[in-house]
Amino acid sequence: MEVVLKSIKEAEKRAAEIKTAAQNECAEISAAAEKRAAEILKASEERLKLFKEQSLLKAVKNAQNDYDNKIKEAEADAKAYADGVIKNTGKEVNDIVGRISSGNG
């Protein structure tokens, strides 16, 4: 009987040791997982920040290109209008200059 009790006590002691080792290993795994999660979060935040900055730069560049194109279009429209006005006023200006020069003004 004494042998059985001793065997049970040894088994209980070994079970307690296994339990303690498992708890320690669990704590280590948990701490490593938390550390890795923090690293992943930091890396993700950095990638998202970089993506945001690149997206903003691209949007600014696209907006500037659109603006420049609209300015070029407006300049071309204004030049065409001015050329048309000058072309259409050429006859009237020549008539006025001719009258003044001939004394019929």
Side-chain angles (χ1 to χ4, degrees), residues 47-60:
R47 281 194 306 271
L48 288 173
K49 181 180 177 184
L50 181 61
F51 176 76
K52 178 182 174 184
E53 290 171 357
Q54 290 173 342
S55 295
L56 287 172
L57 289 174
K58 185 177 179 180
V60 167

Side-chain angles (χ1 to χ4, degrees), residues 1-101:
M1 183 80 160
E2 201 173 294
V3 174
V4 172
L5 289 176
K6 184 178 179 184
S7 177
I8 291 173
K9 286 186 180 192
E10 287 177 8
E12 287 176 342
K13 181 180 175 185
R14 180 68 184 134
E17 290 171 352
I18 291 171
K19 180 181 175 183
T20 300
Q23 287 172 334
N24 291 340
E25 185 178 355
C26 179
E28 290 173 8
I29 291 170
S30 218
E34 287 180 15
K35 181 181 177 185
R36 181 65 182 136
E39 291 169 354
I40 291 170
L41 177 62
K42 183 178 179 183
S44 295
E45 288 173 346
E46 290 172 357
R47 281 194 306 271
L48 288 173
K49 181 180 177 184
L50 181 61
F51 176 76
K52 178 182 174 184
E53 290 171 357
Q54 290 173 342
S55 295
L56 287 172
L57 289 174
K58 185 177 179 180
V60 167
K61 183 179 177 182
N62 288 341
Q64 186 64 49
N65 287 341
D66 290 346
Y67 174 79
D68 292 343
N69 289 336
K70 292 294 182 185
I71 291 295
K72 287 177 185 176
E73 288 175 17
E75 287 173 346
D77 290 347
K79 184 177 181 328
Y81 174 77
D83 289 347
V85 169
I86 290 171
K87 181 180 178 182
N88 292 334
T89 58
K91 181 182 174 201
E92 289 81 11
V93 169
N94 286 334
D95 288 346
I96 293 170
V97 170
R99 286 185 205 159
I100 291 172
S101 297

